[in-house]
Amino acid sequence: MAKLIYRTKVIKNSKNSDLDGKVYAKAVTTETLSFQDFINHVISHGSMYDRGTVHGVLIQMVDCMKELMLDSKKIWLGDLGVFYLSLRNKSAADLESFSITDNVIGVKVSFRANLGKTAGLDSKTIRKEAKFINVLTLSEGKKKKEDGDDNGGDDNGGNDNNGENPDDQNP
């Protein structure tokens, strides 16, 4: 059975003093699958394609996505979501002093999940299907505590990051 492991965190020294001392849950990542591990997982679901074919299709997909995004296109992958490029900027004082070389400091691939109910990736569906496990029950050797209702947060789905920095997540 799949489980969503979480840890609780107390907010300290936030920019918003109303949040100081408040407690929230943060998802814990137990493993980052390699590309090959992901391919093997796909194959394990009874794919009619062999490992080499799945590998080749995914490599070609990545190459094509890069090509299309560099041509200012977004790629909507159906139930998965939309991939697109976004720019990281350093502000300029005015239009005359702005230059791409000096003010655009990065280009990154961005992703927006399809939140429609057909994919089952919307917050309410994911929350309903999640079996929450507190990391402390795993690390202390206690009986695993499964909780589907009491400690999972609200139905907002975390779209506001709840004070989290998405960049501090594992790749």
Side-chain angles (χ1 to χ4, degrees):
M1 158 104 21
K3 58 193 173 293
L4 179 56
I5 300 172
Y6 71 94
R7 65 182 171 91
T8 53
K9 183 173 181 178
V10 178
I11 298 175
K12 297 177 184 173
N13 303 321
S14 72
K15 293 177 184 176
N16 181 349
S17 62
D18 291 340
L19 296 177
D20 283 343
K22 303 287 186 193
V23 179
Y24 67 96
K26 184 171 182 172
V28 173
T29 301
T30 59
E31 179 181 7
T32 300
L33 294 178
S34 70
F35 188 61
Q36 288 303 318
D37 289 340
F38 178 71
I39 290 169
N40 290 336
H41 179 82
V42 170
I43 299 302
S44 76
H45 284 279
S47 173
M48 64 185 201
Y49 301 106
D50 64 27
R51 211 166 47 91
T53 301
V54 172
H55 180 270
V57 168
L58 290 175
I59 290 291
Q60 187 67 39
M61 180 179 132
V62 169
D63 291 345
C64 289
M65 288 176 69
K66 179 181 174 186
E67 172 192 349
L68 292 167
M69 287 186 292
L70 284 170
D71 196 27
S72 297
K73 293 176 174 45
K74 290 183 178 182
I75 297 115
W76 177 32
L77 295 180
D79 285 349
L80 183 60
V82 178
F83 290 84
Y84 56 97
L85 295 180
S86 58
L87 304 178
R88 293 190 58 217
N89 291 272
K90 180 173 64 175
S91 63
D94 51 44
L95 281 172
E96 291 76 33
S97 62
F98 178 85
S99 76
I100 291 292
T101 304
D102 295 333
N103 298 100
V104 175
I105 58 175
V107 179
K108 65 180 187 174
V109 175
S110 296
F111 170 73
R112 189 178 68 244
N114 176 5
L115 299 179
K117 298 207 184 245
T118 59
L121 295 175
D122 60 288
S123 176
K124 287 183 180 182
T125 302
I126 294 286
R127 176 150 177 11
K128 189 184 301 180
E129 293 177 9
K131 290 292 182 189
F132 293 94
I133 307 292
N134 188 324
V135 71
L136 294 177
T137 63
L138 299 176
S139 62
E140 293 175 357
K142 294 180 182 176
K143 181 181 176 219
K144 291 183 182 180
K145 177 182 173 188
E146 294 189 4
D147 179 8
D149 294 317
D150 296 333
N151 294 320
D154 58 26
D155 288 336
N156 291 335
N159 291 334
D160 62 356
N161 290 331
N162 290 327
E164 296 178 31
N165 179 359
D167 294 332
D168 71 2
Q169 300 291 318
N170 290 335

